[in-house]
Amino acid sequence: MRKIFGAAVVLLTLACTGCSENKPADPYAADTEPFVALPKTIEFRKWLDEHGKPWKGVTKVDSSTPDAATIRVNAPYDNENGAEQLIHLWGKYVGVNPSDLTVSVFDNDTGQIYVNYVAH
């Protein structure tokens, strides 16, 4: 009986090893370091994926209104062209013309700003 109990404990321990790594079950919530995935980040990443666009490059979206956002990025959005593309995608996502957006796109690692749109 002891051998069976011991084997069950070992199997249970091995099975739960993956649980203790605190990896999010939702793939859209993963790989946002050093940030915790905000709900808006997860929603936008999922929308990008559903529209066939790269989503892993978006690491943080902070937005309290549809026409304003601060977005932190990695590749493929970590350059001026990628940031411009992302702003247009954000406009489609929230249903706002890019000229009516106030959005800043920053590099996730360096903090460099690639694009800063201000509504006019």
Side-chain angles (χ1 to χ4, degrees), residues 1 8-9 22 25 50 56-57 70 82 88 96 98 105 107 109 116:
M1 185 71 171
V9 170
N22 293 329
E50 289 170 350
K56 288 188 177 184
T70 301
H88 287 273
V96 176
V105 178
D107 185 276
D109 298 321
N116 190 31

Side-chain angles (χ1 to χ4, degrees), residues 2-115:
R2 281 187 165 172
K3 286 183 181 183
I4 293 172
F5 179 75
V9 170
V10 169
L11 287 174
L12 183 61
T13 303
L14 290 173
C16 287
T17 302
C19 304
S20 65
E21 293 179 21
N22 293 329
K23 290 191 177 184
D26 185 344
Y28 302 109
D31 303 322
T32 60
E33 291 81 15
F35 307 105
V36 174
L38 299 173
K40 189 58 73 177
T41 305
I42 295 168
E43 292 168 18
F44 186 47
R45 290 174 116 199
K46 185 175 181 180
W47 183 89
L48 288 168
D49 190 29
E50 289 170 350
H51 287 81
K53 303 296 181 188
W55 56 272
K56 288 188 177 184
V58 175
T59 57
K60 182 179 181 186
V61 176
D62 191 8
S63 175
S64 56
T65 63
D67 64 342
T70 301
I71 304 173
R72 290 206 172 250
V73 298
N74 288 324
Y77 302 112
D78 61 347
N79 56 62
E80 285 184 38
N81 291 336
E84 285 277 345
Q85 177 189 15
L86 191 62
I87 286 178
H88 287 273
L89 291 167
W90 176 259
K92 287 180 182 179
Y93 169 69
V94 295
V96 176
N97 187 316
S99 64
D100 296 327
L101 293 173
T102 300
V103 179
S104 298
V105 178
F106 293 89
D107 185 276
N108 189 55
D109 298 321
T110 67
Q112 175 184 345
I113 188 165
Y114 293 116
V115 175

